[in-house]
Each structure stands twice: as C-alpha cells, then as structure tokens.
Amino acid sequence: MACTAGCTLLLHAPAPQLQFFFRSRIRSMFYHAYNSYLDHAFPYDELRPLTCDGQDTWGSFSLTLIDALDTLLVLGNRTEFQRVASLLQETVDFDIDVNASVFETNIRVVGGLLSAHLLSGRAGLDLEPGWPCSGPLLRMADDAAKKLLPAFETPSGMPYGTVNLLRGVSPSETPVTCTAGVGTFILEFATLSRLTGNQTYEDLARKALQALWETRSSIGLVGNHIDVVTQKWVAQDAGIGAGVDSYFEYLVKGAILLQDSGLLHMFHEYDRAIQNYTRFDDWYLWVQMHKGTVSMPVFQSLEAFWPGLQSLIGDLESAMRTFQNYYSVWRQFGGLPEFYSIPQGYTVDKREGYPLRPELIESAMYLFRATGDHLYLQMGLDALESIEKISRTPCGYASVKDLRDHQLDNRMESFFLAETIKYLYLLFDPTHFLHGGGPWEEGGGPSGRCVLGTGAYIFNTEAHPIDAAALYCCHSHESDQSEIRNILLGQPTASSTGQSQSSNLRCPVQPFSSRLAVTGQVFSENN
C-alpha cells in the first residue's frame, strides 16, 4: 500500500517541515497504542487490541511497559519515563514460578532495563552516587539476568532455550535451541559485566559464542537449531533469517560496542560464506549448511534487518540492492509477510501474516543515515500509512493475520512500541541525540568524571540503545574515561603523546574504532 498523493507531495517540502509533520503522526501512533495498553492490558505482558484486554505471553513481567520505557524518552516524555520507572520498581518481581524464554527475557527485559538505566540521567531521574555503575534499574536488570544463568550450565556453555525463573532448568527441558538463542547475549551480558563488575555475564556470553563458532560447517555456515548438550546440528538449514538472524547482528554490534576485532573477524568469515552460498540476485536463500544446496527459496520478514547490518560494515551497494528487493515485497502487500516465495513472487501458505515487525524500517533508518537518499523516507512513509490504515483499532494496533485480505489478529506484540515506532520516529529525526545529535555530558561513575552521551549508541536486537561510553565508566575500565574526555575536548591523550601505553584507550588505534567509540559513525575497514 503506497502513500497517497498528498503524502508524496510532502516529500518535496522543506526537510524540517517534513520531519516535524511525520514525527507528530508517529508520536500520536505511539500514544494510541501505549495508552490502550495502560487502559486495557496493564499489568499483563501484552495488549489484545481486538477484545480490548490483556494477556501474559513471555513471563508475566508487564513486558510492554518494560519494552516501551526507553521509547518514552526517545519521544521526549521525561515525566512518563520517571513515573513508569518507579512503577516497575514497585510492581515487577522476577521471583516467580514461570517458564521464560532465555532469549526473549534477555533482549526485552534485561536489554530494556539496561537501556532505561543508562538513559536515566537524560530522563531527569534522581541518580544514586556512582551512577551509571549503580542504580535501581541496573539492579533489576541484574536480578533478571541472574535468573537466566542456570540455562548456561551445559557441557558446551550454550544455553537451554527455556528456564524457570524460580526453579531453574527443568530436567525434562529439551536441549535443542535455535542459533540466535545461543548467540544473542554479548551486548546485554557484557554491558552488565562492565557496569556491575561481575565478569560472569560476559564470560558466559563469550563462551557460548565460541562454542557456536566451533560448530560451523566446513564451508563456513551454521544451521538453524542445535543440541546444546551434544553440539550436534538438529536443523541444518543455513540462512540469515528466523532462528539465526540476531547471532550475526550481535557479532557486528558486539565488535562495535566492545571494540573487539575477534567478533568482527567471525562475522566477516560468516559473511564470505553467506555471500558465496546463500545470495542469489541480491536475495538470500536458505541452503544446506554442509553442501550449500538450496533448501528453501524463500524470503523471511526477519531477514529485513540485513541491509541495515550491511550498512554498519560499509557494504552499502549490496545493502541498497537487497533493500530494494525487500521493499518491493512491502509495496506488494502493505507489509512484509513472514514467508515470501521468491520463485512464485507470493506469500507462503500459513505464513501470510505481518505482526507489525520493525526490521525493514530499521534498515531504512540505517541506510538513510548512511546515504541521505529520500527513498528510505518514502519507505517510512509507506509503513506509517500501511499500519494506520490496516492495523489501527479502537484499542491499539493489531497484528495482521493475513496480508492478502488484511484480516487482523488479536495481538499487539511489545516490540511494536519498543522497535517499530522507535525506528520509524528516528528515521524522521536526523538530529536526535541517539544519532549523536545531542551534547555529551560529564559526571557520575566512581570518579565523578564519567563521560556519557558521546553518540555511540548501539541498539540491541529489541532496539534498546546502549551507551557505549558507559562501559568505560566503571571498575577496570574507568581509566579509559580520561582518554575519551580528552578526545572529545581535542586535548592530547596519553597514547598520542607516548607517555603511557598501559592506560591506552582501546579504540583510537584503529580508524573505525575511534570513530565508533567517540562519534558513533558508520564504519568500514577502508573508511
């Protein structure tokens, strides 16, 4: 479903007018969904927008409220951010007899609480002495993450997929989990370790990544599901979509956040195999991980994150071509079906739905930042129009059960507020502080001279931004703060004057590293 003629004309209006107009509409969209959740669904995890009530889905955490918290600040609502932060502290309890997804709890709950904690200063909360190395939201994130640790007690170090928050892993729990469920922890767990001083989290995430790396096939691919006890592949389809996607995402973003060339090396090795065996005419198919033969010639909506990820490593030409393929599917249906048959050019049976996913909008945001091409604004405009016309109900926004006839489903996933609306808003706000458009700030940390808000915000796979500079505020990384501060002020650093090598910042030595750590810019090996 394309934009109307009136909307298209707005693309030719002066940029500030265009941006303000669409930000206002997106903000209204958010509050229609958010207020509907508060009125009809809280304290349940999710809103059911067709029956105007709520349901628990991922663990009975008031999940939508946790997922939406940092979006409130992205939209500039400090007052509601403060109210909800206090409400969550009073109402959320992780000592409950509930079976929870280890993956989903990490990206949505731990990630959401960490992001909100790191944004607390900007939100005007009263900060504890030593923040960001302490604080109530950080303690909540820590409490939630501790509940996940029993899942990592396997011979391989790869975690089980489900854990009971009160009792740990059930003896009858299946050892089979998806690849993303093993490789999507390094951002949240490393941030927790760097802020709290508890190295256990980062060590466990790295052990899982290393174990997964060692199971790749002789042609450099990984499958879709693996037995975490035997390390044998159960589903041997290799691709970039569901079950695998955020593993590759976290290798790149982990490399940026932690300035870790080893993680980037892993991704580049995988990327060579992916380009070699799965890419056809700028689509990415599913292939057998050992032979490289095509097993499923389909595009999955979750794969739409890939052009955005390519932009982060500077592979813009390929990213733009693949984005065009995915955008053509959106224009065909007014959304991205979960599965799309590339040979047939149509939806796959029983996979016709669109649960208001963010991935294509996410890629549009990254590519617009990288290129300035208004095509990506047009995609955002199409998304806004489609969601409003197809999914809006009196009680929020409903997932699309079938894109062929726009039949709706009685569910509004929490990621609609955490990701879809956030990326849409940021697409039309090029000077937002999350893009490096705000002043950096000094204060906090054990020394009181912690540098924050330098522009290097890394989004986890649930679109929760992590301030990379904060990882150098606490414990063993505190000494790096003076280097960051001197770089920002244009003053000589210890490394540049040769006075000291032991306290060198980990990033200025490498060109891409210094740009990411200090200014948050897109990087490539050649730029």
Side-chain angles (χ1 to χ4, degrees):
M1 178 177 294
C3 175
T4 62
C7 291
T8 303
L9 287 174
L10 280 169
L11 286 175
H12 303 291
Q17 295 177 29
L18 173 73
Q19 293 156 4
F20 179 80
F21 176 79
F22 287 114
R23 287 201 303 272
S24 297
R25 287 191 61 188
I26 296 161
R27 192 181 288 111
S28 296
M29 175 186 283
F30 172 84
Y31 284 113
H32 177 62
Y34 178 76
N35 290 331
S36 294
Y37 168 78
L38 290 179
D39 292 342
H40 302 291
F42 178 77
Y44 291 104
D45 281 339
E46 292 179 358
L47 171 70
R48 298 203 304 172
L50 300 184
T51 52
C52 299
D53 56 12
Q55 64 179 345
D56 282 332
T57 51
W58 293 111
S60 192
F61 305 130
S62 300
L63 184 61
T64 293
L65 211 53
I66 295 175
D67 241 357
L69 182 53
D70 56 19
T71 309
L72 287 166
L73 188 64
V74 169
L75 300 182
N77 194 338
R78 291 164 42 128
T79 302
E80 182 66 0
F81 181 100
Q82 294 168 12
R83 186 189 76 83
V84 172
S86 297
L87 179 63
L88 291 173
Q89 294 170 51
E90 296 166 0
T91 60
V92 173
D93 181 10
F94 298 116
D95 288 320
I96 51 177
D97 189 4
V98 167
N99 293 324
S101 163
V102 179
F103 171 84
E104 298 289 353
T105 303
N106 177 58
I107 66 170
R108 302 193 196 206
V109 178
V110 178
L113 291 169
L114 281 174
S115 175
H117 164 71
L118 292 174
L119 293 171
S120 294
R122 190 176 289 272
L125 291 182
D126 292 331
L127 303 177
E128 290 185 1
W131 177 90
C133 311
S134 64
L137 295 176
L138 176 61
R139 286 190 289 274
M140 286 184 69
D142 191 23
D143 289 343
K146 284 177 182 174
K147 296 294 185 178
L148 306 181
L149 296 185
F152 288 82
E153 296 172 5
T154 64
S156 66
M158 295 189 281
Y160 286 99
T162 303
V163 67
N164 184 283
L165 300 183
L166 198 61
R167 309 177 193 280
V169 177
S170 168
S172 61
E173 176 63 26
T174 175
V176 177
T177 191
C178 68
T179 306
V182 174
T184 309
F185 294 91
I186 190 64
L187 295 186
E188 298 84 3
F189 276 28
T191 299
L192 266 177
S193 287
R194 304 295 176 93
L195 295 180
T196 66
N198 182 354
Q199 190 61 30
T200 298
Y201 295 116
E202 185 171 346
D203 289 348
L204 287 175
R206 288 187 179 277
K207 184 177 180 181
L209 284 175
Q210 185 61 35
L212 201 52
W213 170 250
E214 292 171 358
T215 64
R216 67 196 186 283
S217 71
S218 61
I219 61 173
L221 296 171
V222 289
N224 197 272
H225 280 73
I226 192 169
D227 187 313
V228 300
V229 174
T230 65
Q231 295 182 261
K232 302 294 184 183
W233 287 101
V234 176
Q236 298 187 4
D237 296 298
I240 61 170
V244 185
D245 49 359
S246 54
Y247 171 44
F248 298 135
E249 178 186 0
Y250 271 41
L251 291 176
V252 172
K253 291 182 175 179
I256 298 170
L257 182 70
L258 304 174
Q259 300 300 293
D260 189 316
S261 60
L263 297 179
L264 194 60
H265 168 73
M266 287 183 183
F267 176 79
H268 281 311
E269 289 297 307
Y270 281 130
D271 192 37
R272 270 189 278 274
I274 288 167
Q275 301 303 324
N276 233 2
Y277 294 101
T278 77
R279 180 180 174 184
F280 295 87
D281 293 331
D282 297 308
W283 296 95
Y284 291 85
L285 311 184
W286 289 84
V287 303
Q288 210 284 338
M289 65 176 288
H290 295 289
K291 301 176 183 178
T293 52
V294 175
S295 58
M296 287 192 298
V298 299
F299 158 61
Q300 299 179 351
S301 63
L302 285 169
E303 297 172 17
F305 84 101
W306 187 256
L309 192 68
Q310 287 180 302
S311 78
L312 288 179
I313 61 168
D315 192 2
L316 288 177
E317 292 299 322
S318 177
M320 290 187 288
R321 290 194 300 269
T322 296
F323 182 92
Q324 286 281 17
N325 283 344
Y326 298 169
Y327 186 20
S328 70
V329 178
W330 181 287
R331 291 196 300 266
Q332 184 178 351
F333 296 101
L336 290 185
E338 294 287 69
F339 281 32
Y340 176 85
S341 171
I342 297 169
Q344 295 177 359
Y346 207 64
T347 60
V348 174
D349 187 41
K350 298 182 181 179
R351 293 292 189 274
E352 306 93 346
Y354 170 57
L356 307 182
R357 292 197 187 277
E359 283 77 16
L360 191 63
I361 302 167
E362 173 188 1
S363 283
M365 183 200 75
Y366 280 116
L367 285 169
F368 181 66
R369 295 290 300 166
T371 68
D373 190 333
H374 279 218
L375 165 74
Y376 305 109
L377 295 182
Q378 181 67 55
M379 188 279 135
L381 184 53
D382 286 350
L384 175 59
E385 292 292 310
S386 293
I387 293 169
E388 280 287 357
K389 291 182 178 180
I390 297 171
S391 295
R392 186 181 177 100
T393 74
C395 296
Y397 293 86
S399 297
V400 183
K401 187 174 183 179
D402 192 330
L403 278 169
R404 296 172 301 177
D405 58 10
H406 296 164
Q407 182 184 166
L408 298 180
D409 197 11
N410 194 19
R411 188 173 185 185
M412 187 180 81
E413 290 247 23
S414 68
F415 59 65
F416 178 63
L417 296 180
E419 299 184 76
T420 308
I421 288 180
K422 185 183 292 156
Y423 283 132
L424 199 52
Y425 188 86
L426 291 172
L427 173 61
F428 290 104
D429 192 356
T431 62
H432 197 280
F433 75 85
L434 288 177
H435 294 315
W440 59 277
E441 51 191 326
E442 183 178 4
S447 66
R449 293 170 62 83
C450 180
V451 176
L452 295 167
T454 61
Y457 289 94
I458 309 300
F459 291 94
N460 87 335
T461 198
E462 191 76 2
H464 295 305
I466 297 173
D467 186 347
L471 274 64
Y472 296 92
C473 286
C474 312
H475 307 285
S476 62
H477 298 281
E478 184 186 356
S479 62
D480 289 336
Q481 278 294 307
S482 61
E483 292 272 314
I484 295 176
R485 183 177 183 276
N486 288 340
I487 291 170
L488 292 168
L489 294 175
Q491 297 174 351
T493 65
S495 57
S496 66
T497 59
Q499 294 176 357
S500 170
Q501 294 300 315
S502 60
S503 63
N504 282 355
L505 184 65
R506 290 159 179 76
C507 53
V509 179
Q510 299 290 335
F512 82 82
S513 303
S514 60
R515 294 179 68 193
L516 259 296
V518 178
T519 65
Q521 296 180 24
V522 172
F523 76 90
S524 70
E525 289 183 321
N526 298 321
N527 186 13

